[in-house]
Amino acid sequence: MAYSDKVIDHYENPRNVGSLDKSDDNVGTGIVGAPACGDVMKLQIRVEDGVITDAKFKTYGCGSAIASSSLVTEWVKGMKVEDAMEIQNSQIAEELSLPPVKIHCSVLAEDAIKAAIRDYQSRQAAEPADEEGAR
Amino acid sequence: MAVASPSPSESVADHFARFGLAPRYAIDRDALESEYLRRAAQTHPDRFVGRPSGEQRAAMEAAAAINEGYRILRDPVQRAEYLCKLAGIDLDSSDPRGGAPHMSQAFLVEMIERREKVESARAEGASALQALRDQVEGEADETLDEAADALDDDDPNGAARLLVKRRYLQRLLDEIDGEH
């Protein structure tokens, strides 16, 4: 399988590998899996004032899956939560020049960031609104 | 490369029928072996030298189908996954409809945690890693046995879930072995 230079770059020098404290209410955690290949991906975001200030991932899978999640963590830092929710797998696949057989890796990364945002939002909804009283 | 459509008798027949076997998980391996050798000899390209090109191509396609069928049926995992495919569940597809079934969030969380444990076991040393490997391998084998039981019980959906679980365990083993 010929990987694009960008995939190889992210695979060899993955950005933002690691974990955030998942019990922190400002942290959203998304864990997704690709049933067809058995890859698993954990993507976490830290949100302050509606902006993603940090993102970490751990992906156990092929080079394209690692590159897709690495790229997403790079993209979302500094993004508003609602803008990050708009990320489409096609943008990831295009940026990394993923071949058709690896498109599902970009789908996994899109699912992971969306799952992380939803987890963050549900934590905020469950939390009494004493921290962000303005809204 | 453009190829003519394969002759219907070979492409439509499922691999079990191709070797005269009932579509079940338990197979007679000797029967598979001898039927494979017989069919492979029948379709060998040497037998079609000087024949019309259409016949040669049909023989080549038949030989390819026989090889593929043999490769799938002799492997227990692939055979089980193929039985799911015959039941309409393609484990190689990520499509929510008719593709590999998605696992529960709890299972995925467990998989992440267990893969993180691989890193700490690796740091502990070879014996810790081997113990973890033995455990995961035993679990993968057990899961395949459960999938075979589900197939015998005519429960392809249950079998598909177990076979997907086995794929995750296989990837965990690959992780332990340092393969991607």
Side-chain angles (χ1 to χ4, degrees), chain B residues 105-118:
Chain B
Q105 186 66 24
F107 177 80
L108 295 175
V109 170
E110 183 200 319
M111 277 295 118
I112 284 278
E113 286 169 355
R114 292 181 69 177
R115 287 182 198 212
E116 286 172 347
K117 268 192 204 135
V118 174

Side-chain angles (χ1 to χ4, degrees), chain A residues 26-70:
Chain A
N26 289 320
V27 170
T29 302
I31 293 178
V32 294
C37 57
D39 288 356
V40 277
M41 186 180 283
K42 179 174 83 171
L43 200 153
Q44 295 181 297
I45 51 169
R46 180 191 303 284
V47 181
E48 282 160 40
D49 299 328
V51 173
I52 297 172
T53 56
D54 200 3
K56 296 276 186 206
F57 82 95
K58 275 195 177 183
T59 292
Y60 300 93
C62 67
S64 301
I66 291 169
S68 296
S69 38
S70 173

